[in-house]
Amino acid sequence: MTESEFIATIKRNPFNRAILERLPSLALSDAWLVSGALFQTVWNIQTKRAPAYGIKDYDVFYFDPDTSWEAEDGTIKRAAAVFSDLDISIEVRNQARVHLWYEKKFAMPYPPLARSTEGIDRFLMHNAQVGIRTNADGHEVYAPRGFDDISKMIIRPNRAANFLPDKYMEKALRWKEHWPELTILPT
């Protein structure tokens, strides 16, 4: 799968299109639509399912050096207003804040990030390491592992500093319920 094929495929999901069209109106720094909404749309198109089938939520990463909860909460509320008519779950998260709550939630330290793409780099699976944003030239894609695992429907562990084998298997098995065609590689 090429980058242009990837973009064309993920845009077949009307929610992805709407998010990409509206996201710039929020004027968020380093904002990306990431992960499941993208690779799961590809799986759906490949397996002839509805483009939004099985997608639990749509994740948006951004990077704001203001790490206060109040600032992030304000952004979440503004985004909720912009996307209110879509009737889907959209999770908007400031990647500059992840290190503040991650250890409490997952019992593992998480170093501060310098940009949103570093959060994408830390996803548990190679296929999840993908993001897209709208720019002046159309779209910019960030896919450090490429598109092979996505197009081949392979779940492969990303043994980054925050790898959690139990969370990897939990997610992989949940996805397998929706897409039995998946191949899950061991941890």
Side-chain angles (χ1 to χ4, degrees), residues 1 5-13 16 20 33-59 61 119-120 122-132 141-156 158 167-168 170-179 181-184:
M1 171 173 277
E5 291 170 331
F6 174 78
I7 293 169
T9 302
I10 66 100
K11 287 178 78 177
R12 291 181 59 185
N13 180 332
N16 287 342
L20 289 170
L33 175 60
V34 302
S35 199
L38 306 176
F39 68 81
Q40 291 170 359
T41 295
V42 172
W43 295 347
N44 286 336
I45 300 304
Q46 287 181 175
T47 60
K48 300 188 182 354
R49 292 179 172 93
Y53 167 82
I55 298 175
K56 179 180 159 191
D57 57 25
Y58 292 73
D59 295 308
F61 283 6
I120 295 170
R122 291 181 164 273
F123 281 130
L124 294 174
M125 295 84 168
H126 287 194
N127 62 288
Q129 292 178 284
V130 63
I132 187 170
V141 174
Y142 181 76
R145 303 290 185 159
F147 306 106
D148 284 350
D149 282 358
I150 295 171
S151 63
K152 293 177 182 174
M153 299 184 75
I154 294 171
I155 308 298
R156 180 186 317 271
N158 174 29
K167 290 291 178 193
Y168 168 84
E170 178 186 315
K171 283 187 176 216
L173 293 173
R174 185 177 70 233
W175 296 339
K176 183 93 170 164
E177 290 176 11
H178 292 286
W179 299 277
E181 303 87 348
L182 291 171
T183 298
I184 301 171

